[in-house]
Every structure is written in C-alpha cells, then in structure tokens.
Amino acid sequence: MTSEFERDFRAALAQRPHRISPKYFYDAEGSRLFDRICELPEYYPTRTELAILQESVGAMAALAGPGAEIVEFGAGSLRKVRLLLQAFEAPARYLPIDISGEHLRDAATILHKEFAGLEVQPVVADYTGALQLPPAGPGKRIGFFPGSTIGNFTPEEALAFLGGAAEQLRGGALLLGVDLVKDPQLLHAAYNDAEGVTAAFNLNLLVRANRELGANFVPARFAHYAFYNVPLQRIEMHLVSRARQAVTLAGEGFVLDEGETLHTENSYKFTMMGVRTLAQRAGFRPGPVWTDTDNLFSVHWLHAPARSEP
Ligand code: AVJ
C-alpha cells in the first residue's frame, strides 16, 4: 500500500518548486531532534512560552473555571499541559488529539498516573480535518494549541483551523501560543543554530525517505537553508541541491538541478493584532493576551461564543 508520505514525496519531486508538508519531519529521530531544538540557546519560543504559561497560569485557570476539560490539538510536550492541569481547579478531563496513537497512549498513561481523578481520553485523529469529539462535560471546554504550531499553516489553513476550533469549543475558549514578528536577525538565528541541530532536523527528512521509501538521497549533497521572508512574515526552510543530481524514490527517478530546492517548512510569525483579527474572523472573541517582556512570544485567550451568543 502506498503511504501518504510516499504519495506526497513523489508529488513534491514531480512539481516545481518542490515542496512537502513539515508534518513529515516527526519520525522518532525527527522528534528527538525537535526536542533538542527546543533546548537550543537560539531557539527562544519553547522556553519563552513556558515562562509565559508559568507566570500567567493563575489567570488562565480563573478564566477556565472549575471542572474544565482541556482539548489539546496535537499531543505535544507534556510540560506545557501539565502546567495547566496543575493550576486549573479540578480539571475534569484531558482530550489530546493526535494522529499518532502511540504518542497518545504514552501521554495518557503518564498524566493519568500524575493527576488522580483526571479522565484522560485520547482521540486518534488529524486535527486539521473534521473532528468528532466526545460530548462535552459540564465544565468549560478549553482548547490548547501551544508552540506556534499554527505557524505551519498557510493563512487560509490557519483561518479554517481556527473556524473549526471555534465550533468545537463553543461556550469555552482556545488558549493559543503564537510566535511574534521581531528583529529578522533573531528569527534567522533561531532556525540557523550554531550547533547545526536545525540543519540535522531538516536533513533528517531525506534520511527518513531513504529508510521508509527506498530513496537514495545523499544528505551531504543538500544544504540546509532557512531564512526569514520579511514580506510574507515567515521563516522558510529549504533543502538546496548542491549539484545537478539524480535521485530514486519508490522506484521512480527524478533529477534535481544545481540550486533547486525542496521547500520543507513555513513558520509564520504574527503581530499581536494580527492574531486577534484572524481569530475574530474565525468566530472567536479575543480575550487577554500574555507576552514576555521582550515581546518574543504571545499566548492568547480566545473566547468561543456559545451558539446563542452574538
Ligand atoms: C513546531 C512548527 C512551531 O516553526 O518553530 C523548529 C518547528 N522548525 N525549528 C517552528 C521548527 C525548525 C517549529 N514548530
């Protein structure tokens, strides 16, 4: 059976410019490399978001109220949701949504042990598609989408995702972590770390294709290239072919010219107002925003009106 990964990678090599979804970065090695990225001195988002959450989780808990349930889009780092679960008053349920059932089971086991009385109900699904969630309990349903993962979406996809979330969370809210527009040098450094971990993360996509799709990429023949596209307000990551070369993937041959790129990721950056405007267009009523003193990162409370509210 042809995997989605194979289908998408063949399509990427057949079209120009070549581009593929960043969701394929996260095999076991890619997830390990991403965890290392989060610890890098240049990569400010993770530690900044954690500090904002730590600092303001009391205010967030007050907004959520007692017996709330947390719906996390993607079963990410347990460190972040743990802060919410610790601060919220008697959280009733945690519903992590992820395409990886394995990821979900691990998260569920750990949190269930840590928080007595917390119901953990994993949902194996693609949260970018139509979602069928179990019926909400009596408490508020609070969505959690940290890490500026929303930056991987195109603006249209981000609007569609938020629109869907607003519907799922009616009467509750979405807690959304978003990376902010800033000095391009700082952004550049965050995706071009001195240790080369981000380069390894990008190149690992080729290693994964070799293993899973029987491709024959030679990673050394590609350069990691990440830059901040100022007018489009996004970091772009590419793998640039260092020479004209032939590659085989799933039995099919492709030729990459010298300097041709495989576009592997967009990471959009936002202004505070930009997030609020987008959220409003998607049906949310923007609430408080928390940020760090340097305005590097933002965490937004977005009210999802109930059907009866305006
Ligand atoms: C997980 C999408 C938020 O865009 O900063 C980190 C992924 N890519 N370094 C980001 C990533 C390169 C990250 N997101």
mmCIF file of all heavy atoms in Angstrom, residues 44-94:
data_model
loop_
_atom_site.group_PDB
_atom_site.id
_atom_site.type_symbol
_atom_site.label_atom_id
_atom_site.label_comp_id
_atom_site.label_asym_id
_atom_site.label_seq_id
_atom_site.Cartn_x
_atom_site.Cartn_y
_atom_site.Cartn_z
ATOM 1 N N TYR A 44 14.289 30.503 21.036
ATOM 2 C CA TYR A 44 13.614 31.129 22.174
ATOM 3 C C TYR A 44 12.158 30.682 22.379
ATOM 4 O O TYR A 44 11.622 30.824 23.489
ATOM 5 C CB TYR A 44 13.665 32.679 21.994
ATOM 6 C CG TYR A 44 12.962 33.072 20.727
ATOM 7 C CD1 TYR A 44 11.589 33.258 20.711
ATOM 8 C CD2 TYR A 44 13.638 33.150 19.509
ATOM 9 C CE1 TYR A 44 10.914 33.509 19.537
ATOM 10 C CE2 TYR A 44 12.975 33.410 18.334
ATOM 11 C CZ TYR A 44 11.617 33.578 18.360
ATOM 12 O OH TYR A 44 10.949 33.792 17.201
ATOM 13 N N PRO A 45 11.405 30.193 21.332
ATOM 14 C CA PRO A 45 9.957 30.019 21.528
ATOM 15 C C PRO A 45 9.563 29.108 22.693
ATOM 16 O O PRO A 45 8.689 29.475 23.493
ATOM 17 C CB PRO A 45 9.484 29.440 20.190
ATOM 18 C CG PRO A 45 10.474 29.925 19.186
ATOM 19 C CD PRO A 45 11.795 29.902 19.915
ATOM 20 N N THR A 46 10.197 27.950 22.795
ATOM 21 C CA THR A 46 9.748 26.986 23.809
ATOM 22 C C THR A 46 9.920 27.528 25.224
ATOM 23 O O THR A 46 8.978 27.518 26.017
ATOM 24 C CB THR A 46 10.528 25.666 23.656
ATOM 25 O OG1 THR A 46 10.483 25.272 22.282
ATOM 26 C CG2 THR A 46 9.929 24.580 24.519
ATOM 27 N N ARG A 47 11.126 28.017 25.501
ATOM 28 C CA ARG A 47 11.343 28.473 26.882
ATOM 29 C C ARG A 47 10.540 29.738 27.172
ATOM 30 O O ARG A 47 10.069 29.934 28.295
ATOM 31 C CB ARG A 47 12.837 28.653 27.159
ATOM 32 C CG ARG A 47 13.476 29.937 26.752
ATOM 33 C CD ARG A 47 14.934 29.979 27.187
ATOM 34 N NE ARG A 47 15.726 28.997 26.448
ATOM 35 C CZ ARG A 47 16.272 29.233 25.248
ATOM 36 N NH1 ARG A 47 16.122 30.415 24.685
ATOM 37 N NH2 ARG A 47 16.954 28.307 24.621
ATOM 38 N N THR A 48 10.348 30.573 26.169
ATOM 39 C CA THR A 48 9.584 31.804 26.401
ATOM 40 C C THR A 48 8.113 31.481 26.654
ATOM 41 O O THR A 48 7.494 32.028 27.567
ATOM 42 C CB THR A 48 9.727 32.756 25.192
ATOM 43 O OG1 THR A 48 11.112 32.918 24.893
ATOM 44 C CG2 THR A 48 9.115 34.111 25.491
ATOM 45 N N GLU A 49 7.558 30.578 25.863
ATOM 46 C CA GLU A 49 6.158 30.198 26.065
ATOM 47 C C GLU A 49 5.963 29.546 27.432
ATOM 48 O O GLU A 49 4.985 29.843 28.131
ATOM 49 C CB GLU A 49 5.694 29.253 24.958
ATOM 50 C CG GLU A 49 4.209 28.903 25.083
ATOM 51 C CD GLU A 49 3.731 27.996 23.963
ATOM 52 O OE1 GLU A 49 4.452 27.017 23.643
ATOM 53 O OE2 GLU A 49 2.647 28.252 23.418
ATOM 54 N N LEU A 50 6.886 28.671 27.814
ATOM 55 C CA LEU A 50 6.788 28.025 29.129
ATOM 56 C C LEU A 50 6.801 29.073 30.241
ATOM 57 O O LEU A 50 6.025 28.978 31.195
ATOM 58 C CB LEU A 50 7.940 27.034 29.321
ATOM 59 C CG LEU A 50 7.688 25.623 28.794
ATOM 60 C CD1 LEU A 50 8.989 24.834 28.696
ATOM 61 C CD2 LEU A 50 6.678 24.877 29.662
ATOM 62 N N ALA A 51 7.671 30.073 30.100
ATOM 63 C CA ALA A 51 7.743 31.122 31.129
ATOM 64 C C ALA A 51 6.445 31.925 31.184
ATOM 65 O O ALA A 51 5.961 32.268 32.268
ATOM 66 C CB ALA A 51 8.931 32.035 30.849
ATOM 67 N N ILE A 52 5.862 32.215 30.021
ATOM 68 C CA ILE A 52 4.595 32.959 29.997
ATOM 69 C C ILE A 52 3.494 32.139 30.669
ATOM 70 O O ILE A 52 2.714 32.653 31.475
ATOM 71 C CB ILE A 52 4.189 33.308 28.536
ATOM 72 C CG1 ILE A 52 5.200 34.266 27.901
ATOM 73 C CG2 ILE A 52 2.780 33.902 28.492
ATOM 74 C CD1 ILE A 52 5.030 34.433 26.385
ATOM 75 N N LEU A 53 3.450 30.852 30.345
ATOM 76 C CA LEU A 53 2.432 29.980 30.941
ATOM 77 C C LEU A 53 2.601 29.932 32.453
ATOM 78 O O LEU A 53 1.640 30.069 33.213
ATOM 79 C CB LEU A 53 2.511 28.569 30.345
ATOM 80 C CG LEU A 53 2.067 28.404 28.883
ATOM 81 C CD1 LEU A 53 2.356 26.996 28.386
ATOM 82 C CD2 LEU A 53 0.568 28.720 28.727
ATOM 83 N N GLN A 54 3.866 29.761 32.885
ATOM 84 C CA GLN A 54 4.139 29.684 34.320
ATOM 85 C C GLN A 54 3.663 30.939 35.032
ATOM 86 O O GLN A 54 3.031 30.881 36.080
ATOM 87 C CB GLN A 54 5.644 29.514 34.548
ATOM 88 C CG GLN A 54 6.003 28.182 35.133
ATOM 89 C CD GLN A 54 7.386 27.706 34.703
ATOM 90 O OE1 GLN A 54 8.086 28.380 33.946
ATOM 91 N NE2 GLN A 54 7.773 26.541 35.175
ATOM 92 N N GLU A 55 3.978 32.054 34.435
ATOM 93 C CA GLU A 55 3.690 33.355 35.034
ATOM 94 C C GLU A 55 2.181 33.638 35.105
ATOM 95 O O GLU A 55 1.699 34.213 36.070
ATOM 96 C CB GLU A 55 4.403 34.433 34.195
ATOM 97 C CG GLU A 55 3.881 35.836 34.377
ATOM 98 C CD GLU A 55 4.886 36.737 35.058
ATOM 99 O OE1 GLU A 55 5.975 36.250 35.426
ATOM 100 O OE2 GLU A 55 4.563 37.916 35.213
ATOM 101 N N SER A 56 1.442 33.218 34.095
ATOM 102 C CA SER A 56 0.043 33.650 33.989
ATOM 103 C C SER A 56 -0.980 32.539 34.102
ATOM 104 O O SER A 56 -2.176 32.757 33.845
ATOM 105 C CB SER A 56 -0.152 34.405 32.672
ATOM 106 O OG SER A 56 0.709 35.524 32.644
ATOM 107 N N VAL A 57 -0.531 31.350 34.488
ATOM 108 C CA VAL A 57 -1.458 30.217 34.506
ATOM 109 C C VAL A 57 -2.577 30.414 35.537
ATOM 110 O O VAL A 57 -3.672 29.858 35.376
ATOM 111 C CB VAL A 57 -0.679 28.886 34.719
ATOM 112 C CG1 VAL A 57 -0.241 28.736 36.166
ATOM 113 C CG2 VAL A 57 -1.476 27.695 34.235
ATOM 114 N N GLY A 58 -2.320 31.236 36.558
ATOM 115 C CA GLY A 58 -3.370 31.514 37.544
ATOM 116 C C GLY A 58 -4.537 32.247 36.902
ATOM 117 O O GLY A 58 -5.708 31.897 37.117
ATOM 118 N N ALA A 59 -4.214 33.243 36.096
ATOM 119 C CA ALA A 59 -5.252 33.999 35.386
ATOM 120 C C ALA A 59 -5.996 33.103 34.396
ATOM 121 O O ALA A 59 -7.226 33.201 34.233
ATOM 122 C CB ALA A 59 -4.622 35.186 34.652
ATOM 123 N N MET A 60 -5.250 32.207 33.760
ATOM 124 C CA MET A 60 -5.874 31.288 32.795
ATOM 125 C C MET A 60 -6.832 30.338 33.522
ATOM 126 O O MET A 60 -7.934 30.071 33.051
ATOM 127 C CB MET A 60 -4.793 30.495 32.053
ATOM 128 C CG MET A 60 -3.873 31.379 31.207
ATOM 129 S SD MET A 60 -2.364 30.517 30.693
ATOM 130 C CE MET A 60 -1.422 31.883 29.987
ATOM 131 N N ALA A 61 -6.406 29.852 34.684
ATOM 132 C CA ALA A 61 -7.236 28.937 35.473
ATOM 133 C C ALA A 61 -8.530 29.613 35.900
ATOM 134 O O ALA A 61 -9.607 29.008 35.880
ATOM 135 C CB ALA A 61 -6.455 28.460 36.699
ATOM 136 N N ALA A 62 -8.424 30.903 36.256
ATOM 137 C CA ALA A 62 -9.620 31.652 36.676
ATOM 138 C C ALA A 62 -10.605 31.780 35.515
ATOM 139 O O ALA A 62 -11.821 31.679 35.708
ATOM 140 C CB ALA A 62 -9.218 33.033 37.194
ATOM 141 N N LEU A 63 -10.079 32.001 34.324
ATOM 142 C CA LEU A 63 -10.947 32.110 33.142
ATOM 143 C C LEU A 63 -11.600 30.767 32.803
ATOM 144 O O LEU A 63 -12.747 30.709 32.357
ATOM 145 C CB LEU A 63 -10.138 32.599 31.934
ATOM 146 C CG LEU A 63 -9.775 34.089 31.922
ATOM 147 C CD1 LEU A 63 -8.607 34.357 30.977
ATOM 148 C CD2 LEU A 63 -10.987 34.930 31.535
ATOM 149 N N ALA A 64 -10.849 29.681 33.023
ATOM 150 C CA ALA A 64 -11.370 28.347 32.682
ATOM 151 C C ALA A 64 -12.460 27.918 33.661
ATOM 152 O O ALA A 64 -13.425 27.262 33.274
ATOM 153 C CB ALA A 64 -10.242 27.324 32.674
ATOM 154 N N GLY A 65 -12.283 28.278 34.937
ATOM 155 C CA GLY A 65 -13.258 27.892 35.953
ATOM 156 C C GLY A 65 -13.097 26.444 36.371
ATOM 157 O O GLY A 65 -12.277 25.711 35.814
ATOM 158 N N PRO A 66 -13.906 26.004 37.367
ATOM 159 C CA PRO A 66 -13.778 24.633 37.884
ATOM 160 C C PRO A 66 -14.310 23.584 36.909
ATOM 161 O O PRO A 66 -15.220 23.866 36.133
ATOM 162 C CB PRO A 66 -14.628 24.665 39.162
ATOM 163 C CG PRO A 66 -15.586 25.791 38.966
ATOM 164 C CD PRO A 66 -14.917 26.794 38.079
ATOM 165 N N GLY A 67 -13.707 22.411 36.976
ATOM 166 C CA GLY A 67 -14.209 21.264 36.198
ATOM 167 C C GLY A 67 -14.063 21.402 34.696
ATOM 168 O O GLY A 67 -14.792 20.748 33.943
ATOM 169 N N ALA A 68 -13.118 22.217 34.259
ATOM 170 C CA ALA A 68 -12.934 22.401 32.811
ATOM 171 C C ALA A 68 -12.279 21.169 32.199
ATOM 172 O O ALA A 68 -11.672 20.361 32.897
ATOM 173 C CB ALA A 68 -12.066 23.626 32.545
ATOM 174 N N GLU A 69 -12.431 21.033 30.894
ATOM 175 C CA GLU A 69 -11.695 19.978 30.197
ATOM 176 C C GLU A 69 -10.794 20.618 29.158
ATOM 177 O O GLU A 69 -11.114 21.661 28.592
ATOM 178 C CB GLU A 69 -12.633 18.945 29.581
ATOM 179 C CG GLU A 69 -13.679 19.486 28.658
ATOM 180 C CD GLU A 69 -14.568 18.372 28.111
ATOM 181 O OE1 GLU A 69 -15.012 17.523 28.901
ATOM 182 O OE2 GLU A 69 -14.796 18.367 26.898
ATOM 183 N N ILE A 70 -9.625 19.993 28.973
ATOM 184 C CA ILE A 70 -8.628 20.542 28.057
ATOM 185 C C ILE A 70 -8.532 19.662 26.826
ATOM 186 O O ILE A 70 -8.297 18.462 26.921
ATOM 187 C CB ILE A 70 -7.250 20.653 28.749
ATOM 188 C CG1 ILE A 70 -7.336 21.616 29.938
ATOM 189 C CG2 ILE A 70 -6.177 21.107 27.744
ATOM 190 C CD1 ILE A 70 -6.075 21.693 30.781
ATOM 191 N N VAL A 71 -8.755 20.285 25.677
ATOM 192 C CA VAL A 71 -8.608 19.597 24.397
ATOM 193 C C VAL A 71 -7.315 20.079 23.769
ATOM 194 O O VAL A 71 -7.200 21.248 23.402
ATOM 195 C CB VAL A 71 -9.786 19.933 23.445
ATOM 196 C CG1 VAL A 71 -9.571 19.300 22.079
ATOM 197 C CG2 VAL A 71 -11.113 19.483 24.048
ATOM 198 N N GLU A 72 -6.306 19.202 23.692
ATOM 199 C CA GLU A 72 -5.036 19.645 23.109
ATOM 200 C C GLU A 72 -4.936 19.198 21.653
ATOM 201 O O GLU A 72 -5.105 18.029 21.332
ATOM 202 C CB GLU A 72 -3.834 19.121 23.912
ATOM 203 C CG GLU A 72 -2.529 19.656 23.337
ATOM 204 C CD GLU A 72 -1.317 19.498 24.249
ATOM 205 O OE1 GLU A 72 -1.432 18.875 25.314
ATOM 206 O OE2 GLU A 72 -0.251 20.023 23.872
ATOM 207 N N PHE A 73 -4.674 20.168 20.783
ATOM 208 C CA PHE A 73 -4.526 19.865 19.355
ATOM 209 C C PHE A 73 -3.086 19.430 19.111
ATOM 210 O O PHE A 73 -2.179 20.245 19.078
ATOM 211 C CB PHE A 73 -4.913 21.095 18.523
ATOM 212 C CG PHE A 73 -6.352 21.494 18.704
ATOM 213 C CD1 PHE A 73 -6.714 22.474 19.619
ATOM 214 C CD2 PHE A 73 -7.352 20.858 17.983
ATOM 215 C CE1 PHE A 73 -8.044 22.832 19.794
ATOM 216 C CE2 PHE A 73 -8.694 21.200 18.152
ATOM 217 C CZ PHE A 73 -9.038 22.196 19.067
ATOM 218 N N GLY A 74 -2.877 18.118 18.989
ATOM 219 C CA GLY A 74 -1.537 17.544 18.918
ATOM 220 C C GLY A 74 -1.102 17.205 20.329
ATOM 221 O O GLY A 74 -1.220 18.031 21.224
ATOM 222 N N ALA A 75 -0.624 15.967 20.528
ATOM 223 C CA ALA A 75 -0.126 15.595 21.854
ATOM 224 C C ALA A 75 1.335 15.990 21.903
ATOM 225 O O ALA A 75 2.213 15.231 21.533
ATOM 226 C CB ALA A 75 -0.305 14.097 22.091
ATOM 227 N N GLY A 76 1.576 17.207 22.309
ATOM 228 C CA GLY A 76 2.932 17.748 22.279
ATOM 229 C C GLY A 76 3.679 17.458 23.560
ATOM 230 O O GLY A 76 3.575 16.358 24.119
ATOM 231 N N SER A 77 4.416 18.453 24.009
ATOM 232 C CA SER A 77 5.219 18.294 25.207
ATOM 233 C C SER A 77 4.297 18.303 26.417
ATOM 234 O O SER A 77 3.457 19.182 26.584
ATOM 235 C CB SER A 77 6.235 19.426 25.289
ATOM 236 O OG SER A 77 6.216 20.031 26.551
ATOM 237 N N LEU A 78 4.463 17.280 27.273
ATOM 238 C CA LEU A 78 3.610 17.202 28.453
ATOM 239 C C LEU A 78 3.884 18.347 29.420
ATOM 240 O O LEU A 78 3.028 18.703 30.222
ATOM 241 C CB LEU A 78 3.831 15.866 29.168
ATOM 242 C CG LEU A 78 3.301 14.640 28.429
ATOM 243 C CD1 LEU A 78 3.536 13.389 29.237
ATOM 244 C CD2 LEU A 78 1.816 14.803 28.139
ATOM 245 N N ARG A 79 5.067 18.941 29.300
ATOM 246 C CA ARG A 79 5.444 20.008 30.236
ATOM 247 C C ARG A 79 4.445 21.150 30.220
ATOM 248 O O ARG A 79 4.145 21.743 31.247
ATOM 249 C CB ARG A 79 6.825 20.564 29.868
ATOM 250 C CG ARG A 79 7.966 19.719 30.351
ATOM 251 C CD ARG A 79 9.291 20.299 29.912
ATOM 252 N NE ARG A 79 9.650 21.485 30.680
ATOM 253 C CZ ARG A 79 10.668 22.280 30.373
ATOM 254 N NH1 ARG A 79 11.387 22.028 29.298
ATOM 255 N NH2 ARG A 79 10.961 23.312 31.116
ATOM 256 N N LYS A 80 3.964 21.489 29.022
ATOM 257 C CA LYS A 80 3.075 22.642 28.914
ATOM 258 C C LYS A 80 1.687 22.362 29.485
ATOM 259 O O LYS A 80 1.171 23.126 30.293
ATOM 260 C CB LYS A 80 2.973 23.094 27.452
ATOM 261 C CG LYS A 80 4.291 23.654 26.925
ATOM 262 C CD LYS A 80 4.224 23.975 25.440
ATOM 263 C CE LYS A 80 5.612 24.330 24.906
ATOM 264 N NZ LYS A 80 5.602 24.465 23.436
ATOM 265 N N VAL A 81 1.086 21.257 29.058
ATOM 266 C CA VAL A 81 -0.280 20.982 29.519
ATOM 267 C C VAL A 81 -0.282 20.654 31.013
ATOM 268 O O VAL A 81 -1.265 20.916 31.722
ATOM 269 C CB VAL A 81 -0.952 19.871 28.683
ATOM 270 C CG1 VAL A 81 -0.457 18.495 29.070
ATOM 271 C CG2 VAL A 81 -2.469 19.964 28.813
ATOM 272 N N ARG A 82 0.829 20.115 31.495
ATOM 273 C CA ARG A 82 0.957 19.814 32.920
ATOM 274 C C ARG A 82 0.774 21.082 33.755
ATOM 275 O O ARG A 82 0.123 21.058 34.806
ATOM 276 C CB ARG A 82 2.327 19.204 33.165
ATOM 277 C CG ARG A 82 2.488 18.529 34.497
ATOM 278 C CD ARG A 82 3.862 17.912 34.635
ATOM 279 N NE ARG A 82 3.939 16.540 34.162
ATOM 280 C CZ ARG A 82 4.876 16.073 33.337
ATOM 281 N NH1 ARG A 82 5.805 16.885 32.854
ATOM 282 N NH2 ARG A 82 4.895 14.808 33.004
ATOM 283 N N LEU A 83 1.339 22.196 33.273
ATOM 284 C CA LEU A 83 1.191 23.467 33.987
ATOM 285 C C LEU A 83 -0.283 23.839 34.123
ATOM 286 O O LEU A 83 -0.734 24.295 35.174
ATOM 287 C CB LEU A 83 1.925 24.592 33.233
ATOM 288 C CG LEU A 83 3.454 24.586 33.292
ATOM 289 C CD1 LEU A 83 4.011 25.626 32.332
ATOM 290 C CD2 LEU A 83 3.922 24.877 34.713
ATOM 291 N N LEU A 84 -1.051 23.634 33.049
ATOM 292 C CA LEU A 84 -2.480 23.957 33.087
ATOM 293 C C LEU A 84 -3.212 23.018 34.034
ATOM 294 O O LEU A 84 -4.025 23.446 34.858
ATOM 295 C CB LEU A 84 -3.090 23.851 31.684
ATOM 296 C CG LEU A 84 -2.496 24.694 30.562
ATOM 297 C CD1 LEU A 84 -3.340 24.543 29.294
ATOM 298 C CD2 LEU A 84 -2.434 26.179 30.955
ATOM 299 N N LEU A 85 -2.914 21.724 33.900
ATOM 300 C CA LEU A 85 -3.629 20.738 34.726
ATOM 301 C C LEU A 85 -3.372 20.954 36.209
ATOM 302 O O LEU A 85 -4.235 20.706 37.050
ATOM 303 C CB LEU A 85 -3.232 19.322 34.304
ATOM 304 C CG LEU A 85 -3.740 18.891 32.914
ATOM 305 C CD1 LEU A 85 -3.082 17.585 32.470
ATOM 306 C CD2 LEU A 85 -5.267 18.743 32.920
ATOM 307 N N GLN A 86 -2.147 21.424 36.531
ATOM 308 C CA GLN A 86 -1.814 21.675 37.934
ATOM 309 C C GLN A 86 -2.551 22.898 38.477
ATOM 310 O O GLN A 86 -2.924 22.942 39.639
ATOM 311 C CB GLN A 86 -0.295 21.882 38.084
ATOM 312 C CG GLN A 86 0.494 20.591 38.039
ATOM 313 C CD GLN A 86 1.985 20.825 37.830
ATOM 314 O OE1 GLN A 86 2.419 21.932 37.545
ATOM 315 N NE2 GLN A 86 2.772 19.761 37.960
ATOM 316 N N ALA A 87 -2.736 23.899 37.607
ATOM 317 C CA ALA A 87 -3.297 25.171 38.080
ATOM 318 C C ALA A 87 -4.818 25.217 38.011
ATOM 319 O O ALA A 87 -5.459 25.899 38.798
ATOM 320 C CB ALA A 87 -2.709 26.324 37.263
ATOM 321 N N PHE A 88 -5.409 24.509 37.044
ATOM 322 C CA PHE A 88 -6.865 24.547 36.892
ATOM 323 C C PHE A 88 -7.515 23.904 38.119
ATOM 324 O O PHE A 88 -6.954 23.001 38.743
ATOM 325 C CB PHE A 88 -7.308 23.801 35.629
ATOM 326 C CG PHE A 88 -7.131 24.577 34.344
ATOM 327 C CD1 PHE A 88 -6.247 25.655 34.260
ATOM 328 C CD2 PHE A 88 -7.849 24.234 33.197
ATOM 329 C CE1 PHE A 88 -6.079 26.372 33.074
ATOM 330 C CE2 PHE A 88 -7.684 24.944 32.008
ATOM 331 C CZ PHE A 88 -6.800 26.013 31.935
ATOM 332 N N GLU A 89 -8.714 24.382 38.444
ATOM 333 C CA GLU A 89 -9.441 23.831 39.594
ATOM 334 C C GLU A 89 -10.178 22.556 39.187
ATOM 335 O O GLU A 89 -11.107 22.615 38.365
ATOM 336 C CB GLU A 89 -10.435 24.883 40.132
ATOM 337 C CG GLU A 89 -11.098 24.432 41.417
ATOM 338 C CD GLU A 89 -12.193 25.403 41.865
ATOM 339 O OE1 GLU A 89 -12.188 26.573 41.422
ATOM 340 O OE2 GLU A 89 -13.053 24.956 42.642
ATOM 341 N N ALA A 90 -9.718 21.430 39.728
ATOM 342 C CA ALA A 90 -10.345 20.125 39.467
ATOM 343 C C ALA A 90 -10.667 19.896 37.990
ATOM 344 O O ALA A 90 -11.827 19.688 37.628
ATOM 345 C CB ALA A 90 -11.613 19.974 40.322
ATOM 346 N N PRO A 91 -9.639 19.924 37.125
ATOM 347 C CA PRO A 91 -9.911 19.669 35.706
ATOM 348 C C PRO A 91 -10.563 18.305 35.534
ATOM 349 O O PRO A 91 -10.146 17.323 36.171
ATOM 350 C CB PRO A 91 -8.530 19.712 35.050
ATOM 351 C CG PRO A 91 -7.552 19.508 36.149
ATOM 352 C CD PRO A 91 -8.186 20.077 37.388
ATOM 353 N N ALA A 92 -11.616 18.243 34.733
ATOM 354 C CA ALA A 92 -12.404 17.018 34.643
ATOM 355 C C ALA A 92 -11.794 16.021 33.663
ATOM 356 O O ALA A 92 -11.826 14.819 33.893
ATOM 357 C CB ALA A 92 -13.831 17.356 34.215
ATOM 358 N N ARG A 93 -11.265 16.558 32.568
ATOM 359 C CA ARG A 93 -10.853 15.633 31.507
ATOM 360 C C ARG A 93 -9.775 16.263 30.642
ATOM 361 O O ARG A 93 -9.741 17.480 30.461
ATOM 362 C CB ARG A 93 -12.086 15.282 30.663
ATOM 363 C CG ARG A 93 -11.889 14.150 29.695
ATOM 364 C CD ARG A 93 -13.223 13.556 29.292
ATOM 365 N NE ARG A 93 -14.128 14.559 28.731
ATOM 366 C CZ ARG A 93 -15.108 14.270 27.875
ATOM 367 N NH1 ARG A 93 -15.311 13.030 27.486
ATOM 368 N NH2 ARG A 93 -15.897 15.218 27.421
ATOM 369 N N TYR A 94 -8.902 15.414 30.109
ATOM 370 C CA TYR A 94 -7.873 15.842 29.154
ATOM 371 C C TYR A 94 -8.058 15.031 27.883
ATOM 372 O O TYR A 94 -8.040 13.797 27.910
ATOM 373 C CB TYR A 94 -6.477 15.627 29.749
ATOM 374 C CG TYR A 94 -5.334 15.866 28.787
ATOM 375 C CD1 TYR A 94 -5.223 17.058 28.067
ATOM 376 C CD2 TYR A 94 -4.343 14.895 28.597
ATOM 377 C CE1 TYR A 94 -4.174 17.267 27.177
ATOM 378 C CE2 TYR A 94 -3.285 15.110 27.718
ATOM 379 C CZ TYR A 94 -3.209 16.294 27.016
ATOM 380 O OH TYR A 94 -2.162 16.502 26.144
#
